[in-house]
Amino acid sequence: MELRREYSYYLIQLYIPCMMLVVVSWVSFWLDKDAVPARVSLGVTTLLTMTTQASGINSKLPPVSYIKAVDVWIGVCLAFIFGALLEYAVVNYYGRKEFLRKEKKKKTRIDDCVCPSDRPPLRLDLSAYRSVKRLPIISRISEILAANTDISRRVDLMSRLGFPTLFISFLIFYYQTYVKQSRD
């Protein structure tokens, strides 16, 4: 008699749906920070769906007193989805602060000036016209991280890169560890 685990069942029932839920939770990074209902409902829906997925899988497995690889997988996927929801909380907090600061600046500008001007100040130096050859990705990253960019926008842009990078790193680590343990 030989006991063998069916990996295809767990792949189709657990791993692929959980990966899809994590990736769907990242869609909120591309939504406008002012789209509160869309971002909140996306985050809460993916979190609840992941919780339902986890309870369904755990009910089919026998209870044991130690942590299984599936528990680690579900826990990390839940953490990534919850992290995406928390990311929006941070974006919303800083977005509100930036909005209030801009409103305050508008009020003080109108009160202080007779004729407020919307034109940018005139530059007298030629540094803007000198061409420095840089890769487009490097100039884009430095533009994103510039001090004059809104913090809420920077958090969204950094999350677009950071969350997938961390998740791919986890996938590599998880599968290397999982395959190594299954061979032993």
Side-chain angles (χ1 to χ4, degrees), residues 165-183:
T165 303
L166 285 173
F167 191 67
I168 289 170
S169 301
F170 166 72
L171 286 176
I172 292 168
F173 172 76
Y174 180 83
Y175 283 112
Q176 282 182 341
T177 304
Y178 186 66
V179 169
K180 182 181 176 185
Q181 285 183 358
S182 67
R183 287 183 184 166

Side-chain angles (χ1 to χ4, degrees), residues 40-54:
V40 170
S41 63
L42 181 66
V44 170
T45 303
T46 52
L47 190 62
L48 290 174
T49 306
M50 185 64 209
T51 305
T52 305
Q53 179 79 10

Side-chain angles (χ1 to χ4, degrees), residues 49-65:
T49 306
M50 185 64 209
T51 305
T52 305
Q53 179 79 10
S55 64
I57 289 296
N58 281 331
S59 68
K60 294 176 184 176
L61 295 173
V64 293
S65 61

Side-chain angles (χ1 to χ4, degrees), residues 11 31 33 41 56 60 62-63 67 72 79 92 115 141 158 169:
L11 189 66
L31 295 176
K33 69 180 177 187
S41 63
K60 294 176 184 176
I67 296 176
V72 172
N92 192 23
C115 299
I141 290 172
M158 290 181 349
S169 301

